[in-house]
DNA sequence: GCCGTTTTCGGCCCGACTGTTTTCAGTCG
């Protein structure tokens, strides 16, 4: 059992307890534990094996013990007990914006509403508005939220989860005797932000052993289909996975074919037709059907006169033209990222890491600098000028003492509703690093949101615009924004835009990264870490940046600190 | 259930906003 399942179990337990009137503080404890487990870059089972679970903030003795039980027995007793008393589709209602536990409980108990359709009906027929403290406008608002929820909902899995299963399944298949190569293809290889199903390819002369091993994987819930060289399974988490086993001489052709995208493949095959050759998942063939090549993916590209194109670019969005004219970007890699420019400590908000823990983890990851950017005063526990000064002193003291990564004294300052910043410019100007972000009032009209951000960028004290769209994948849509206008001002003022690497944010998106690059705006790939282990999340941001065609020169935190200082325009 | 420069009990973020009310409950960030 892996992080996503463990997190889901505790999140469900929290929801169930909330709906049935459980202790709200316990509810919060379970929910926080679920959140931190879900965003850990490494497997929670490993920490459990080493007895280190309680070193994770928000996980104490009791929850650690229950995680252990969950990993061994696969079940949480009280979650199962509560789940038997609550209809399963009732929990889903909590995902509708503006609908919380009280509303769900009231609709369920008073009206017998047990799923989304029933809630919609109750809104339309006026039964909901007859409940205490409900009304016509509230029913209307819920109706609209249901439409938005339906539009947003999908069976696709966030990339970080899909990557976990892809890596774990590939590693297991590589150990099967006779298997030469195993790769995940499809949208996970292209690093799309959500993945519908996994395509795994294996090269072997005898397909039987990998096929058998695949269908018997411990994460498999059901085998949907199984032939001699192709099988489909459904994992316990609901993700569908296909395996194809190919002869080694076809592996490269198959890898290309099943990586896609569809548009990319059509364009490549069209080129092949013009050159009088035939491409399929089995190889490159001439007119008479004689095999020319196909063992390596490079063979496919070479056959149509192109260099190898990184999978992240294969969207049929100009990559073939770029390859043809030798203008393919040298995409940024995780090892290029030298520092982290958005990190929280326990000095503010719900973050838990001490400065010492952050330095230690950053050193382990080989980072050379980390900007401590806690929240400003309008956030809960946010820093005021006095708190900020104290933190600067603490950071300076630690920098004098420790030889490891350099800590930068920074802030994540709130952009208020009118576009002013939540701390005076003098206080911000003295800092090493200023991230400015929106955390409230998301629903203003497009012009207001754009003006608000533009004003913040023009303040002269901001280095980076944090999570510029505000979206939370699967939970909250991006706010209305004229990104092009923001990019124009960002270029003019020298402010960078963030690629927030928290798996539920990935914000900027891949598309926005590409627009930023075209507009001449640099980005910062930052983790927004709330616990020390989150510093390892950089890779999520690198995936997005690569899909956005970004090269090391486009990403400011690929620079050593001296160059970073030289680059910034506000000093 | 977690946590601790209030450390084994007793707190736990809190203000803004909305829609319903005529003083406030629910939700959100």
């Amino acid at each position: 059992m892996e992080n996503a399942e463990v997190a889901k179990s505790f999140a469900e337990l929290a929801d169930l307890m909330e709906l049935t009137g459980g202790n709200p503080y316990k509810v919060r404890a379970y929910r926080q534990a679920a959140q931190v487990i879900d965003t850990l870059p490494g497997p929670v089972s490993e920490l459990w094996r080493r007895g280190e679970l309680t070193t994770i903030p928000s996980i104490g003795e009791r929850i650690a013990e229950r995680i252990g039980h969950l990993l061994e027995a696969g079940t949480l007793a009280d979650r199962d007990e509560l789940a038997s008393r609550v209809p399963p589709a009732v929990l889903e209602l909590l995902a509708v914006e503006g609908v919380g536990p009280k509303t769900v409980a009231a609709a369920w108990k008073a009206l017998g509403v047990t799923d989304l359709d029933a809630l919609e009906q109750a809104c339309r027929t006026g039964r909901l508005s007859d409940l205490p403290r409900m009304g016509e406008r509230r029913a209307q608002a819920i109706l609209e939220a249901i439409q938005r929820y339906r539009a947003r909902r999908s069976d696709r899995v966030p990339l970080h989860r899909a990557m976990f299963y892809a890596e774990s399944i590939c590693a297991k298949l590589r150990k099967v005797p006779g298997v030469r190569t195993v790769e995940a293809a499809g949208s996970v290889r292209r690093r799309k932000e959500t993945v519908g199903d996994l395509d795994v390819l294996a090269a072997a002369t005898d397909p039987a052993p990998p096929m058998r091993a695949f269908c018997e994987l411990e994460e498999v819930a059901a085998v949907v289909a199984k032939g001699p060289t192709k099988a489909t399974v459904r994992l316990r988490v609901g993700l569908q996975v296909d395996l194809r086993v190919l002869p080694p001489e076809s592996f490269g052709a198959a890898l290309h074919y099943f990586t896609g995208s569809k548009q990319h493949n059509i364009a490549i095959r069209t080129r092949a037709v013009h050159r009088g050759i035939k491409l399929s998942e089995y190889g490159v063939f001439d007119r008479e059907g004689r095999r020319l090549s196909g063992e390596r993916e490079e063979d496919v590209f070479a056959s149509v006169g192109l260099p190898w194109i990184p999978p992240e670019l294969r969207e049929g969005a100009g990559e073939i033209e770029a390859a043809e004219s030798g203008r393919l970007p040298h995409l940024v890699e995780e090892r290029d990222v030298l520092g982290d420019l958005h990190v929280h400590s326990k000095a503010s908000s719900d973050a838990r890491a001490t400065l010492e823990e952050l330095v230690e983890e950053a050193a382990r990851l080989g980072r050379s600098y980390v900007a401590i950017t806690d929240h400003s005063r309008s956030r809960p526990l946010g820093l005021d000028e006095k708190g900020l000064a104290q933190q600067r002193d603490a950071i300076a003291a630690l920098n004098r003492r420790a030889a490891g990564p350099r800590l930068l004294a920074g802030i994540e300052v709130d952009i208020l509703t009118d576009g002013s910043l939540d701390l005076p410019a003098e206080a911000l100007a003295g800092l090493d690093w200023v991230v400015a972000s929106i955390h409230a009032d998301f629903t203003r009209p497009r012009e207001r949101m754009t003006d608000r951000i533009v004003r913040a960028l023009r303040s002269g004290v901001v280095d980076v615009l944090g999570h510029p769209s505000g979206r939370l994948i699967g939970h909250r849509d991006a706010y209305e924004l004229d990104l092009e206008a923001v990019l124009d001002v960002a270029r003019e003022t020298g402010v960078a835009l963030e690629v927030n690497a928290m798996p539920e944010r990935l914000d900027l998106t891949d598309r926005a990264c590409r627009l930023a690059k075209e507009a001449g705006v640099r980005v910062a790939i930052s983790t927004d870490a709330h616990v020390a282990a989150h510093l390892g999340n950089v890779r999520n941001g690198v995936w997005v940046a690569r899909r956005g065609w970004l090269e090391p020169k486009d990403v400011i935190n690929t620079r050593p600190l001296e160059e970073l200082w030289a680059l910034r325009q506000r000093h």
Side-chain angles (χ1 to χ4, degrees), chain A residues 233-547:
Chain A
V233 299
R234 198 172 54 251
L235 304 186
R236 284 197 309 275
V237 285
L239 188 65
Q240 187 162 300
V241 189
D242 289 345
L243 173 71
R244 279 163 192 273
V245 185
L246 298 121
E249 65 269 23
S250 295
F251 188 78
L255 185 58
H256 179 263
Y257 181 84
F258 289 110
T259 296
S261 64
K262 198 170 179 180
Q263 292 88 329
H264 170 89
N265 283 359
I266 289 171
I268 294 283
R269 281 202 299 273
T270 305
R271 284 178 71 93
V273 169
H274 290 318
R275 285 160 186 259
I277 55 175
K278 188 170 91 69
L279 288 180
S280 77
E281 63 261 52
Y282 297 104
V284 180
F285 303 90
D286 68 14
R287 278 200 182 82
E288 284 70 46
R290 283 181 301 236
R291 160 183 297 277
L292 301 174
S293 65
E295 184 169 358
R296 301 173 318 136
E297 206 175 35
E298 287 85 343
D299 299 339
V300 176
F301 289 106
S303 75
V304 294
L306 294 175
W308 182 82
I309 299 175
E312 294 92 333
L313 301 183
R314 300 183 199 168
E315 296 294 339
E319 74 276 10
I320 291 172
E321 295 78 358
E324 185 153 45
S325 57
R327 288 181 292 106
L328 277 177
H330 300 284
L331 298 179
V332 62
E333 295 178 38
E334 188 176 351
R335 63 163 183 259
D336 295 324
V337 176
L338 302 183
D340 200 327
L341 292 170
H342 183 169
V343 171
H344 292 275
S345 78
K346 66 196 297 180
S348 82
S349 72
D350 53 345
R352 305 297 318 175
T354 63
L355 297 178
E356 288 80 4
E357 286 165 352
L358 289 167
V359 169
E360 191 181 324
E361 180 65 6
R364 205 180 64 78
L365 294 168
R367 308 259 189 276
S368 65
Y369 51 91
V370 175
I372 303 300
T373 54
D374 279 309
H375 288 293
S376 57
R377 56 190 175 186
S378 71
R379 292 284 90 208
L381 295 178
L383 298 175
D384 56 14
E385 285 176 83
K386 195 170 155 227
L388 194 54
Q390 285 169 354
Q391 197 186 44
R392 282 179 64 180
D393 293 344
I395 287 171
L398 195 57
N399 276 334
R400 279 194 299 274
R401 206 162 73 228
R406 168 83 181 275
L407 288 184
L408 310 184
I411 188 104
E412 181 183 16
V413 64
D414 259 52
I415 301 174
L416 302 175
T417 307
D418 65 355
S420 63
L421 301 175
D422 188 32
L423 284 169
E426 313 82 69
L428 299 174
L431 291 169
D432 294 326
W433 200 253
V434 176
V435 178
S437 309
I438 288 180
H439 290 110
D441 288 318
F442 298 106
T443 53
R444 310 279 160 177
R446 181 178 159 101
E447 302 73 41
R448 288 281 301 279
M449 292 301 284
T450 306
D451 289 348
R452 184 180 177 186
I453 290 176
V454 162
R455 186 173 164 206
L457 297 188
R458 290 199 196 282
S459 67
V461 291
V462 171
D463 295 301
V464 179
L465 175 64
H467 40 75
S469 88
R471 70 150 177 189
L472 293 173
I473 297 173
H475 295 284
R476 191 174 68 211
D477 294 335
Y479 37 71
E480 298 286 330
L481 188 67
D482 182 349
L483 180 63
E484 266 133 61
V486 168
L487 288 172
D488 282 344
V489 178
R491 181 188 46 228
E492 177 195 318
T493 55
V495 174
L497 264 53
E498 181 174 85
V499 176
N500 189 295
M502 276 301 255
E504 71 267 36
R505 285 197 183 270
L506 303 186
D507 175 15
L508 300 172
T509 62
D510 47 13
R511 201 183 105 77
C513 282
R514 201 163 171 194
L515 290 174
K517 180 181 177 132
E518 284 163 7
V521 173
R522 293 193 186 89
V523 310
I525 299 174
S526 304
T527 62
D528 200 356
H530 280 62
V531 305
H534 284 161
L535 293 175
N537 275 332
V538 157
R539 71 177 197 156
N540 303 302
V542 171
W543 295 334
V544 177
R546 289 173 62 87
R547 280 183 61 83

